[in-house]
Amino acid sequence: EGKPMDNMIAAQRLMAKREDYRTAHILHLLLCIPTAGLWVFVWMICALSNSIERGKIDRNLARLGGE
C-alpha cells in the first residue's frame, strides 16, 4: 500500500535533483566576454552534460509514472 507514496517521494527527489542540472546561460555568456569567446567551448560541454543528466532523470520520472 505504501508504493504510491514511495513513488511520489522518489519523484519529488528526482525533480529536486533535476534542478541541479540547469545551465546558467547568462553566466556563461558573461564569461565569454573576457575570454574572447574561448569560454564557449566550456559552455557547450556544460550544456551538453546537463542535458544528458536531465534526460536520464526524465526517463526515471517517466518510469515512476508508468508503474
Side-chain angles (χ1 to χ4, degrees), residues 22-32 43 46-48 50:
R22 294 183 66 201
T23 303
H25 292 288
I26 299 297
L27 173 65
H28 287 283
L29 178 63
L30 292 174
L31 287 169
C32 281
W43 185 0
C46 287
L48 180 62
N50 286 342

Side-chain angles (χ1 to χ4, degrees), residues 14 18 51-66:
L14 284 171
R18 189 177 191 275
S51 177
I52 290 168
E53 290 302 319
R54 288 171 71 97
K56 289 177 187 176
I57 292 170
D58 288 345
R59 285 189 293 279
N60 286 335
L61 283 169
R63 262 189 245 128
L64 280 175

Side-chain angles (χ1 to χ4, degrees), residues 3-20 57 60-62 64-65:
K3 193 161 176 75
M5 182 59 105
D6 291 342
N7 283 352
M8 188 169 71
I9 292 169
Q12 288 173 342
R13 286 185 181 149
L14 284 171
M15 290 300 293
K17 184 177 177 185
R18 189 177 191 275
E19 289 302 308
D20 292 340
I57 292 170
N60 286 335
L61 283 169
L64 280 175

